[in-house]
Amino acid sequence: MTISRHKQPRRSPLAVLSLLLAVVAMVLGPVPSSAADDPGWWNPVARPAPDSDINITGEPFKGTDSQGRVRGFVDAHDHLMSNEGFGGRLICGKPFSELGVAEALKDCPEHYPDGTLAIFDFITKGGDGKHDPNGWPTFKDWPAHDSLTHQQNYYAWVERAWRGGQRVLVNDLVTNGVICSVYFFKDRGCDEMTAIRLEAQKTYDMQAYIDKMYGGPGKGWFRIVTDSAQAREVVKQGKLAVVLGVETSEPFGCKQILDFAQCSKEDIDRGLDELHRLGVRSMFLCHKFDNALCGVRFDQGALGTAINVGQFLSTGTFWKTEKCTGPQHDNPIGLAAAPQAQKELPAGVAVPSYAADAQCNTRGLTELGEYAVRGMMKRKMMLEIDHMSVKAAGRAFDILESESYPGIISSHSWMDDNWTERLYKLGGFVAQYMGGAEGFSAEAKAKNALRDKYNVGYGYGTDMNGVGGWPGPRGADTPNPVRYPFRSVDGGSVIDKQTTGQRTWDLNTDGASHYGLVPDWIEDIRNVGGQDVVDDLFRGAESYLTTWGSSEKHKAGVNLAAGASTAASSAEWNPFTSYAPSRAVDGNTGTRWASDWSDDQWIQIDLGAANLVKRVTLEWERAHGQAYRIELSNDGTNWQSAWSTTTGDGGLDTALFTGTTARYVRVHGVQRGTKWGYSLYEVGVYSS
């Protein structure tokens, strides 16, 4: 190297001062960004230390595809804050804490020193309930795929799922007043709505906690959204859109005792308004126990027996069953003993036995339940159909179909599979419970043709912290294990084994122990089920947001039949009341048209002018049509059949057909469903 010795120019004092200031700025101030030094928008500027690792490198994908559709996975059913429900001591640990990870990931006090008093852990997992209670930093025994009582939703684990490609998360606010009241340990009251309010607030607190790491309000990756357009913008930015839902047994205080409702329509309106103000956009109307709104889909085995005990303690009645009238059925209750729960029953009271051929809950959607469904529609909220009995779900479908309302969700595999196409026809969304890769892939493939038919994506419902159980390990010796590190589905990130404290999790040997292993589980599905299953999951966020957006845009159709002129083939005579055809279009479900007691009867509606007719709704009295058709005419003389059925079962029917211009609409009964005639409370005619 040759050093030049030519004379250097003399610098002015001002130039020297400027140079010194520049050097100081470089030392003390922010360094100009470069490919090597820029931490990336996805990394916080002030993560707590110590804390969990994320173990993913690479920039999370942003934006939409070439057709403007969002990309990414959707978890349609999670419980971030269930540690705040059930009296505060059923689920141990917190998803975040201002005091740090050691405080957040700490077991319940009664679990120390060895889990002897971990009663709920014993009930749900079996064995003696004993375990190492220490979380941070060792995590010897929890979180685990089969530990149902310990925190699985630590914020950094959720962050890892987001970094791995998830773009929508539904946080279901959850609790159960009866479980809270009978559980031995609690540090607060058991009112369900109080718990729901607290969990909602804690979710907003978690957003603020994450925002603080990223430099202030609105800067973090965890974004609570209250409409679909806002959600789309969040996903477009590459962040996680968080939707609030509710899954509880007695919403708005709507329990029932000895079959008597403990709430009113006014309570329902107040409750729905409050939930909407909190940001809730989807909810279950019943969960685990029959309430004043609807009957539930039963749980099975020992858990079913335990919940049936809770049903009695809550309502004064056990579940009641009947033979199903169609191919749909509720879960079999089973007769497995649940000794710990059965001890709670009064002396002389025992759980009843159930006939094997009677698998349907006698309780359906009540009048108050119908009012709540319609109230949700008015507020553009989405109805969660899982956990509803067949009778309740069937009626809910009838109501939504009568309004062509798309806001229906099956978020974790509890809806009867026979109704999947019915849901897709409405525009609803389906997610599957987070099961093992083999079972999940097989179930996904079984419905692949339906998803192709309706051009929809698929979701999963992790139900983390939901006391459900999660995929166990397939073993390190499986022929197609998850091989670390691997690339994210979009290809832009590298995902390695997840480490928190002194513990490193491997999906092959640990199973899906906590939320941070969602990307690993998806990779396992790719290995087992193939890329097609994962591709459908990657379209899930778009399909979920399409259902939500369509619900927001829905407008109640104008009933063209309201108050219209009518005629009928006959009207049953009664000296005390009228069954004239006009009674079927008067807007009063307490009146009805009834025909003579014979087949081949009809009721005709004159719309007054030609209109586009696309949908006809029929609210049958018990005397319904089994075989009937919808006929249209422009002159009242020449008729054409627009729709027909031979399997009518009464209740609320909706006939959908290609839009046709007509002035006259006729419901033509061909075969009665009972020994009586045909009887309709209301007929609706719509152009949409």
Side-chain angles (χ1 to χ4, degrees), residues 567-571 581 593 595-596 598-604 667 678:
S569 56
S570 64
W593 163 70
S595 76
D596 289 345
S598 62
D599 291 327
D600 197 24
Q601 302 285 342
W602 51 264
I603 180 173
Q604 176 179 309
V667 182
Y678 301 90

Side-chain angles (χ1 to χ4, degrees), residues 609-665:
N611 285 271
L612 181 69
V613 178
K614 191 175 182 180
R615 175 167 50 103
V616 174
T617 62
L618 306 171
E619 180 75 68
W620 293 100
E621 195 250 356
R622 185 180 178 188
H624 64 276
Q626 178 177 322
Y628 64 93
R629 58 181 180 262
I630 306 298
E631 300 172 336
L632 304 177
S633 173
N634 280 315
D635 57 11
T637 301
N638 299 296
W639 297 89
Q640 64 181 43
S641 178
W643 183 93
S644 65
T645 184
T646 58
T647 58
D649 58 357
L652 179 56
D653 287 347
T654 298
L656 281 171
F657 43 86
T658 302
T660 306
T661 300
R663 173 173 173 171
Y664 299 91
V665 178

Side-chain angles (χ1 to χ4, degrees), residues 36-249:
D37 301 326
D38 186 359
W41 63 268
W42 56 94
N43 286 314
V45 296
R47 187 184 296 280
D51 203 9
S52 172
D53 296 337
I54 305 301
N55 306 106
I56 296 181
T57 57
E59 180 177 359
F61 61 88
K62 290 183 178 181
T64 57
D65 66 15
S66 60
Q67 295 177 290
R69 298 172 301 196
V70 302
R71 300 174 294 161
F73 305 115
V74 54
D75 180 355
H77 194 104
D78 185 32
H79 300 291
L80 291 176
M81 299 297 166
S82 60
N83 59 291
E84 302 291 352
F86 309 99
R89 299 270 276 275
L90 197 75
I91 305 297
C92 305
K94 306 172 185 177
F96 75 99
S97 172
E98 296 285 354
L99 299 178
V101 64
E103 171 65 20
L105 297 179
K106 183 169 66 175
D107 214 338
C108 291
E110 56 275 6
H111 288 203
Y112 291 87
D114 63 357
T116 297
L117 293 180
I119 306 299
F120 193 63
D121 201 62
F122 162 73
I123 292 172
T124 57
K125 189 177 179 180
D128 56 11
K130 291 187 178 181
H131 62 275
D132 181 348
N134 291 316
W136 177 271
T138 57
F139 298 104
K140 180 177 181 293
D141 288 336
W142 67 269
H145 72 91
D146 56 354
S147 174
L148 311 188
T149 63
H150 294 98
Q151 183 58 243
Q152 297 175 297
N153 281 318
Y154 186 59
Y155 93 90
W157 299 337
V158 178
E159 179 180 348
R160 177 178 158 93
W162 158 63
R163 291 279 300 273
Q166 186 170 303
R167 290 296 177 267
V168 176
L169 185 154
V170 179
N171 176 31
D172 282 319
L173 314 174
V174 64
T175 190
N176 184 290
V178 174
I179 292 175
C180 171
S181 66
V182 301
Y183 191 53
F184 304 96
F185 306 104
K186 60 181 74 70
D187 55 25
R188 63 198 67 176
C190 294
D191 178 71
E192 291 193 357
M193 289 303 290
T194 299
I196 295 303
R197 295 182 193 106
L198 176 61
E199 290 181 38
Q201 183 57 54
K202 287 290 184 179
T203 310
Y204 284 98
D205 291 347
M206 181 165 157
Q207 176 178 259
Y209 176 79
I210 294 170
D211 277 353
K212 187 177 178 181
M213 291 183 209
Y214 284 78
K219 294 188 176 181
W221 52 268
F222 184 95
R223 312 303 323 147
I224 299 170
V225 295
T226 55
D227 63 58
S228 63
Q230 187 182 13
R232 287 183 179 279
E233 183 58 31
V234 165
V235 178
K236 189 175 181 180
Q237 295 169 8
K239 299 182 179 183
L240 180 70
V242 180
V243 185
L244 297 185
V246 165
E247 182 183 39
T248 191
S249 294

